[in-house]
Amino acid sequence: MSQFKTTPVPRVKNISKADFIEQYYKPQKPVLIEDLTKNWPAYEKWTLDYIQERSGDQIVPLYNNEPAKDKESVYAPKKEMKLHDYIEILKTQPTDLRIFFYELLKKMPSLLEDFEYPDIGLKFFKKLPALFFGGGESKVFMHYDIDLPDSMHFHFDGHKSVTLFSPEQTKYLYRVPYSIHNLESIDMDNPDFEKYPALQYAEGIQADMKHGDALYMPSGYWHYIKYLDGGFSMTLRALPRSPKRFLNMLSNVVVMRNFDNFTRKYWGQKWLDYKDELAIKRTEKNLKHT
């Protein structure tokens, strides 16, 4: 079984704001902080049961591990279900169904009372705190965030695995043009180094998260996520810090995404196949110059 070369993410406790800025934020290095949520009410309260009790009758969109095909929108859910019933599945059986970007301000604002924005040196964008749910078979395809934020990712009630790759590793990852993901045919748990030889040169950072852990993911970092059992996470985002990265974010959101959506609408699977072929050609060209 093939595996990526990875090193464990640094794990710290009781880190000061000054140390976080100097050791991780400025050099843009990931770190897992074990005690950042210990004083939050959420550390004691936030379980699947707690969310389920507050779910009411709201309906949520659900996604699975299958990539969108042809003219399907990547934002179109595979099914919809009551949040209460979905959480019951998470509690009782493995599933690949997951919730993507559940906005707290709109859907469960009472949860805002259970946490605080950490004073750690990041200027968090306070209008978009979001939850992400998944089951024991849920996987989030390898990607980087289109808005290029510095993110703090907090996990609750369960375990998940996060594999990170720095932007410098992009040349080995078969990035799909006009997209924020790599080839969806790549099995990130068992990469085929013969079919995709550049992958063997990629070096990742591995983070295993448990309840209350906080993972700092610097701007532009690739991440592949696996839920090891039912649980959920919250992401707080900070806008890009440099003018260049801010302009890249605007280009991604305003130009690249709309161009890709427009072209996919009319070309469908032909456009997807073309991008995949281009990803392979470009990566193999990079490999020759490595």
Side-chain angles (χ1 to χ4, degrees):
M1 182 175 179
S2 301
Q3 291 185 326
F4 286 100
K5 290 180 288 187
T6 60
T7 56
V9 69
R11 304 179 74 94
V12 300
K13 294 182 178 180
N14 301 315
I15 190 169
S16 68
K17 176 180 178 179
D19 285 345
F20 172 77
I21 291 173
E22 288 300 318
Q23 297 174 25
Y24 300 104
Y25 178 58
K26 284 186 177 179
Q28 292 284 276
K29 294 182 178 180
V31 63
L32 190 146
I33 307 173
E34 295 185 349
D35 63 348
L36 199 57
T37 66
K38 288 290 180 69
N39 294 323
W40 290 2
Y43 187 79
E44 298 294 335
K45 293 181 177 180
W46 281 18
T47 63
L48 290 172
D49 286 336
Y50 184 78
I51 303 298
Q52 189 178 40
E53 290 168 2
R54 287 153 181 77
S55 61
D57 293 326
Q58 64 178 281
I59 305 295
V60 292
L62 300 174
Y63 301 82
N64 61 16
N65 296 341
E66 298 177 7
K69 299 176 182 179
D70 199 22
K71 296 182 180 181
E72 294 177 349
S73 169
V74 295
Y75 306 105
K78 297 299 180 181
K79 64 191 314 182
E80 294 184 341
M81 184 183 300
K82 283 188 175 182
L83 178 58
H84 181 281
D85 296 340
Y86 169 66
I87 292 179
E88 192 63 30
I89 293 175
L90 294 185
K91 290 163 53 178
T92 57
Q93 58 186 281
T95 180
D96 70 343
L97 294 174
R98 57 187 177 85
I99 296 177
F100 169 77
F101 219 90
Y102 180 93
E103 295 186 49
L104 290 185
L105 284 173
K106 294 180 179 179
K107 299 179 179 178
M108 206 173 288
S110 63
L111 295 185
L112 299 175
E113 301 173 3
D114 294 338
F115 72 90
E116 60 188 34
Y117 289 86
D119 182 20
I120 200 165
L122 297 177
K123 295 182 179 180
F124 291 109
F125 185 59
K126 296 183 178 181
K127 294 184 179 181
L128 276 180
L131 297 183
F132 301 81
F133 295 76
E137 296 176 351
S138 298
K139 299 178 182 181
V140 182
F141 61 85
M142 173 87 138
H143 70 288
Y144 61 91
D145 294 333
I146 194 169
D147 52 344
L148 302 177
D150 284 277
S151 298
M152 197 67 75
H153 192 66
F154 307 86
H155 192 61
F156 298 95
D157 199 358
H159 302 80
K160 73 191 306 182
S161 169
V162 182
T163 306
L164 302 169
F165 293 90
S166 73
E168 289 73 23
Q169 299 295 308
T170 301
K171 59 186 176 181
Y172 303 127
L173 297 175
Y174 295 88
R175 176 186 176 272
V176 176
Y178 311 106
S179 307
I180 57 168
H181 59 84
N182 69 346
L183 290 173
E184 293 171 331
S185 56
I186 293 174
D187 183 350
M188 293 299 296
D189 296 318
N190 184 24
D192 188 338
F193 292 151
E194 291 188 6
K195 187 174 183 180
Y196 307 110
L199 294 177
Q200 62 191 307
Y201 299 101
E203 298 181 5
I205 300 169
Q206 183 65 36
D208 293 320
M209 301 186 69
K210 64 182 186 304
H211 179 85
D213 284 347
L215 177 64
Y216 168 58
M217 295 191 292
S219 175
Y221 261 68
W222 293 81
H223 39 286
Y224 167 65
I225 296 173
K226 286 200 314 179
Y227 289 82
L228 305 180
D229 43 35
F232 62 102
S233 302
M234 178 177 70
T235 295
L236 303 180
R237 311 157 85 82
L239 294 176
R241 58 179 181 165
S242 71
K244 180 180 179 181
R245 196 166 287 275
F246 188 81
L247 289 175
N248 287 339
M249 180 270 287
L250 289 179
S251 176
N252 287 346
V253 173
V254 177
V255 180
M256 184 184 74
R257 179 169 61 182
N258 289 325
F259 173 77
D260 187 54
N261 289 342
F262 175 83
T263 311
R264 181 172 186 160
K265 181 179 178 180
Y266 287 94
W267 278 16
Q269 193 62 41
K270 289 182 179 180
W271 173 241
L272 301 183
D273 293 342
Y274 168 77
K275 292 196 299 178
D276 286 355
E277 292 173 5
L278 198 55
I280 293 173
K281 289 179 180 179
R282 288 181 176 179
T283 304
E284 291 180 350
K285 183 179 179 180
N286 290 337
L287 193 58
K288 291 178 181 178
H289 293 90
T290 299

